[in-house]
Amino acid sequence: MMIASDLKPCPFCGSIPLLEKKPLWSEGGHGYYNCYEFDIHCINPVCGCRINLFNNNSIYHSEEEAIKNVINAWNERVQI
């Protein structure tokens, strides 16, 4: 897991968000070895705000592009 300094705080509770890099395979299982998906979620367990983009992973994009896509989606969301 990584903390990205350029992420805006959670729009619901103001907590720090966390950028998570998750493998697309399981140990001993099938999948895309050495490929990852990325999501961002609020570290406040009560809030649970999360963003995950469909097909935003290192199969279809470079890791840098996938990270940039999810950070942009998090930072551009509509605040309620």
Side-chain angles (χ1 to χ4, degrees):
M1 288 189 243
M2 304 172 286
I3 295 178
S5 61
D6 52 348
L7 289 170
K8 292 181 180 178
C10 177
F12 300 108
C13 71
S15 294
I16 299 168
L18 186 69
L19 173 62
E20 189 172 14
K21 179 180 180 179
K22 300 187 294 188
L24 292 175
W25 73 93
S26 60
E27 194 169 322
H30 298 287
Y32 293 94
Y33 183 73
N34 214 19
C35 292
Y36 301 90
E37 68 179 350
F38 302 89
D39 73 358
I40 296 175
H41 59 91
C42 176
I43 62 169
N44 180 348
V46 176
C47 178
C49 183
R50 173 179 298 274
I51 189 163
N52 188 329
L53 302 176
F54 182 69
N55 286 339
N56 185 53
N57 52 50
S58 59
I59 297 170
Y60 301 107
H61 307 282
S62 68
E63 282 193 26
E64 295 79 20
E65 186 179 8
I67 291 169
K68 180 182 171 186
N69 290 342
V70 76
I71 288 173
N72 286 340
W74 176 269
N75 287 341
E76 294 176 359
R77 77 257 186 241
V78 176
Q79 290 188 326
I80 298 175

